[in-house]
Amino acid sequence: MKKSVEEPKDKHLRKTIEGLPPSAKLVYKVLEYGGLLTQKEIAEQSYLPPRTIRYALGRLKDEDFLQERFYFKDARQSLYGLKDMTKQQVAGEAASQAEFDFANVYTVPKEYEVLAT
């Protein structure tokens, strides 16, 4: 069963997405379906080379579509996802980094929890 994807309702948003290079459009769709992913995971799903993915992520970041989060499992990597575009359309501005919910990115394993004594 195919997952239905809503088309952007804002014509300006749609026009901006249409103006992106094909690699950025593909990475946009991979992130739309996959949520938060590392560059390696994006490469596995899109079959694009790492350099192309870096370029596409840069273009998405320039257009303010991209959010970048700290990846707690491996500090050398980052998690990438799409910003909530409906918030931006309603507020008329980009969502700030503080608005993202970092608690859902990674839960701390029990062996690393600090117990107060």
Side-chain angles (χ1 to χ4, degrees):
M1 183 173 182
K2 278 189 160 181
K3 180 180 176 182
S4 66
V5 178
E6 291 184 22
E7 292 295 322
K9 293 178 175 94
D10 185 13
K11 287 184 181 183
H12 176 70
L13 175 65
R14 183 177 174 87
K15 193 167 196 119
T16 304
I17 292 170
E18 287 176 352
L20 293 173
S23 60
K25 291 177 189 175
L26 178 58
V27 170
Y28 182 91
K29 284 297 182 184
V30 167
L31 292 173
E32 190 174 46
Y33 283 111
L36 293 172
L37 300 170
T38 63
Q39 284 187 19
K40 185 176 182 178
E41 292 168 334
I42 295 170
E44 290 170 355
Q45 292 185 20
S46 67
Y47 298 104
L48 292 173
R51 184 174 177 176
T52 305
I53 291 170
R54 286 192 301 272
Y55 171 75
L57 289 172
R59 289 297 304 265
L60 291 172
K61 192 172 189 176
D62 290 345
E63 296 295 335
D64 205 26
F65 289 131
L66 192 69
Q67 63 173 307
E68 187 174 352
R69 295 186 182 181
F70 185 78
Y71 188 43
F72 290 102
K73 289 183 178 180
D74 185 355
R76 298 170 293 175
Q77 300 181 43
S78 295
L79 287 172
Y80 299 94
L82 297 177
K83 289 184 178 179
D84 185 12
M85 300 313 291
T86 55
K87 277 186 188 176
Q88 288 183 14
Q89 292 168 358
V90 171
E93 60 185 30
S96 68
Q97 187 71 14
E99 290 181 18
F100 300 126
D101 184 15
F102 285 94
N104 292 329
V105 175
Y106 179 72
T107 55
V108 178
K110 295 234 182 246
E111 60 265 16
Y112 294 118
E113 289 182 0
V114 178
L115 301 174
T117 56

